[in-house]
Amino acid sequence: MSALEPAKDEEGDKRRLFLVIADDTPDALMRVLGVANVQQTRLRALTAQPDGAGLSIRMELDDQGDDRAQVLAARLSACPSVRGVGFGWR
């Protein structure tokens, strides 16, 4: 494999995609990232953009299993300014 070839996805490279809809407040993104940090997730990709009156946040994280994903989703849902959370596989 050359340095220019993309790395092949291995079974250990599974990722979870979390979609968070939050109020568009100055601290919404930092609150969401703070919850992810406390849960010791490994962030691989992040996008955030205004979506109507809210903020749409897309986080791609290393998979840590179903139980950890459900705990993270529940904690994100309880976060101030978060209106909704969804997650699945990338």
Side-chain angles (χ1 to χ4, degrees):
M1 178 165 108
S2 78
L4 298 177
E5 286 182 39
K8 292 188 169 55
D9 284 339
E10 297 177 13
E11 195 64 27
D13 282 349
K14 289 183 181 177
R15 294 187 183 174
R16 295 275 179 157
L17 176 64
F18 283 80
L19 300 172
V20 180
I21 302 298
D23 294 329
D24 192 5
T25 61
D27 64 341
L29 179 59
M30 294 308 295
R31 287 179 183 268
V32 168
L33 291 176
V35 171
N37 181 50
V38 167
Q39 293 299 303
Q40 298 180 343
T41 62
R42 183 163 300 234
L43 185 64
R44 295 302 181 181
L46 172 71
T47 57
Q49 61 188 18
D51 184 14
L55 182 65
S56 177
I57 303 167
R58 180 184 185 273
M59 297 187 304
E60 203 172 292
L61 310 169
D62 281 351
D63 182 39
Q64 295 179 325
D66 290 336
D67 292 338
R68 294 283 308 262
Q70 290 174 359
V71 167
L72 178 58
R75 297 214 175 164
L76 287 168
S77 294
C79 184
S81 77
V82 169
R83 294 191 225 159
V85 176
F87 68 96
W89 298 102
R90 172 190 64 94

